[in-house]
Amino acid sequence: MKKTMQWSDYQINAAKFFSSLGLRTEIESRVNGARGIHEVDVYVSGNYAGIEFKWVVECKAWKSNIPKEKVMALSSIVQDVGADRGFLLSEIGFQSGALLAARSSNITL
């Protein structure tokens, strides 16, 4: 039987991955947005060719596929905090509505 990863380990592993790319990461970061403060699983920032960027990463260590509503919620947070991209990570997968919601957007599943 496969052991399910704990959500905190998932956040740590995601941060380690982005850090290994030379990016700055902050786990359980509180990020100011236009409409309030958001706590995100991992906040990533970096610089490419002199251009600063920031990403919001949400980690779902669930036992079921992630629904469209989670994609839409992440999209709203990404827009509110002025991030360039959002990443929604899942070890299980995504419902078909989530895949459609992320298509042609700045959300990567």
Side-chain angles (χ1 to χ4, degrees):
M1 177 184 239
K2 183 179 175 183
K3 184 180 176 188
T4 304
M5 184 182 304
Q6 296 295 315
W7 62 268
S8 57
D9 293 334
Y10 204 7
Q11 290 176 342
I12 292 166
N13 288 339
K16 284 180 182 177
F17 169 75
F18 287 105
S19 291
S20 76
L21 300 176
L23 304 174
R24 295 179 299 277
T25 61
E26 186 178 331
I27 298 171
E28 295 184 12
S29 178
R30 294 177 55 85
V31 183
N32 289 320
R35 295 181 262 323
I37 298 172
H38 305 276
E39 186 168 307
V40 300
D41 291 344
V42 183
Y43 186 71
V44 179
S45 58
N47 180 307
Y48 182 77
I51 300 171
E52 292 287 328
F53 62 87
K54 50 190 172 181
W55 298 337
V56 173
V57 181
E58 286 293 306
C59 306
K60 302 298 181 198
W62 292 8
K63 295 179 183 178
S64 60
N65 289 342
I66 308 304
K68 172 181 76 172
E69 292 77 19
K70 294 300 175 185
V71 174
M72 302 306 291
L74 177 57
S75 180
S76 178
I77 292 169
V78 166
Q79 180 182 8
D80 192 52
V81 303
D84 299 289
R85 176 155 299 280
F87 290 85
L88 185 55
L89 307 181
S90 168
E91 292 298 303
I92 300 297
F94 301 90
Q95 293 178 3
S96 60
L99 297 171
L100 288 172
R103 188 180 302 163
S104 300
S105 75
N106 63 340
I107 303 298
T108 300
L109 305 179

